[in-house]
Amino acid sequence: NSKVIQTPRYLVKGQGQKAKMRCIPEKGHPVVFWYQQNKNNEFKFLINFQNQEVLQQIDMTEKRFSAECPSNSPCSLEIQSSEAGDSALYLCASSRGTNQDTQYFGPGTRLLVL
Amino acid sequence: QQKVQQSPESLIVPEGGMASLNCTSSDRNVDYFWWYRQHSGKSPKMLMSIFSNGEKEEGRFTVHLNKASLHTSLHIRDSQPSDSALYLCAATASGGNYKPTFGKGTSLVVHP
């Protein structure tokens, strides 16, 4: 069973507000991923880290989204100015850090932007 | 363009029947495939992985991989209502910053 912890489980924000969610990866997993799963169940990769360093991120992430994985603190994903289209399930996953390693997902943060 | 295509989009099978799900990558660099299962309201959990040509069986689940065609399939025999879920295929390329590409999933319903 996955030991990835995500908080909060639910988040409700108004348009233009900041939305911040956190993730504690499984112990011993240096690679952390953030995904957005929309109401059609489509996965969108946002960003991944190895330890504190960004490995890859998409353009969307660079504009309104910010993320970090500081040492000895939870990883976080923040949307600076929420839009209705950001309403989705945000999933954090961690892995040991090779291409053959399984990703273990947290329970997700469900964001609703009113 | 979606690099991982899954079919069918949805599938209904009777309890005890066989469910067959397909997944193809259009990225020639892909080396590793996973199947995840996501029950409604839950997060995805890895079901099976396959990295070599051939077949792998775990209980009622069998996965096939043809690396030449970059096609993998998942077969569930003796399907149970508890197998009703979204099945996601993911593929990773070597040297791809560990980032898998997910398909849109197949929604499986097993009716009693």
Side-chain angles (χ1 to χ4, degrees):
Chain A
N1 288 332
S2 174
K3 298 179 179 65
V4 177
I5 299 170
Q6 284 190 254
T7 57
R9 294 292 305 275
Y10 301 92
L11 195 53
V12 181
K13 294 289 177 184
Q15 294 195 49
Q17 290 186 318
K18 284 187 184 181
K20 187 168 185 175
M21 53 204 85
R22 292 175 176 81
C23 170
I24 300 175
E26 196 160 320
K27 193 174 180 181
H29 285 191
V31 181
V32 173
F33 302 78
W34 285 100
Y35 296 93
Q36 180 195 64
Q37 188 177 28
N38 66 19
K39 61 182 179 181
N40 296 319
N41 291 321
E42 295 167 342
F43 263 68
K44 180 184 284 186
F45 166 84
L46 298 177
I47 191 168
N48 64 342
F49 293 84
Q50 183 161 19
N51 298 312
Q52 293 80 53
E53 301 297 320
V54 174
L55 289 175
Q56 196 169 350
Q57 61 184 334
I58 65 167
D59 286 346
M60 181 183 82
T61 311
E62 292 169 4
K63 290 174 183 170
R64 289 188 302 111
F65 288 60
S66 62
E68 60 176 3
C69 272
S71 61
N72 301 316
S73 292
C75 298
S76 64
L77 175 68
E78 185 172 58
I79 306 172
Q80 302 302 321
S81 178
S82 302
E83 299 175 355
D86 297 330
S87 297
L89 179 67
Y90 289 84
L91 288 160
C92 175
S94 70
S95 76
R96 286 185 299 170
T98 75
N99 286 315
Q100 297 186 38
D101 282 317
T102 299
Q103 293 194 5
Y104 294 87
F105 285 85
T109 293
R110 188 165 293 282
L111 172 66
L112 175 61
V113 182
L114 302 173
Chain B
Q1 185 181 352
Q2 183 63 248
K3 288 188 173 181
V4 175
Q5 299 279 358
Q6 287 189 246
S7 64
E9 284 188 17
S10 61
L11 183 62
I12 301 174
V13 300
E15 184 174 358
M18 172 76 85
S20 295
L21 293 69
N22 298 291
C23 171
T24 303
S25 172
S26 58
D27 183 350
R28 301 302 307 180
N29 296 314
V30 159
D31 282 317
Y32 312 110
F33 288 88
W34 285 266
W35 286 94
Y36 286 80
R37 180 166 70 179
Q38 185 177 21
H39 285 107
S40 181
K42 303 289 186 184
S43 58
K45 286 184 170 48
M46 201 276 286
L47 194 60
M48 292 186 75
S49 60
I50 188 162
F51 307 147
S52 306
N53 271 326
E55 177 181 300
K56 188 172 167 183
E57 183 177 333
E58 291 180 6
R60 298 185 293 111
F61 299 88
T62 302
V63 64
H64 295 265
L65 176 61
N66 180 327
K67 291 194 96 169
S69 59
L70 296 176
H71 177 261
T72 179
S73 57
L74 174 68
H75 305 273
I76 307 172
R77 61 176 172 81
D78 189 23
S79 298
Q80 301 298 308
S82 58
D83 294 327
S84 298
L86 180 71
Y87 288 78
L88 294 157
C89 174
T92 301
S94 296
N97 286 329
Y98 320 129
K99 180 178 81 69
T101 300
F102 283 82
K104 292 184 179 181
T106 292
S107 178
L108 173 66
V109 173
V110 180
H111 65 83

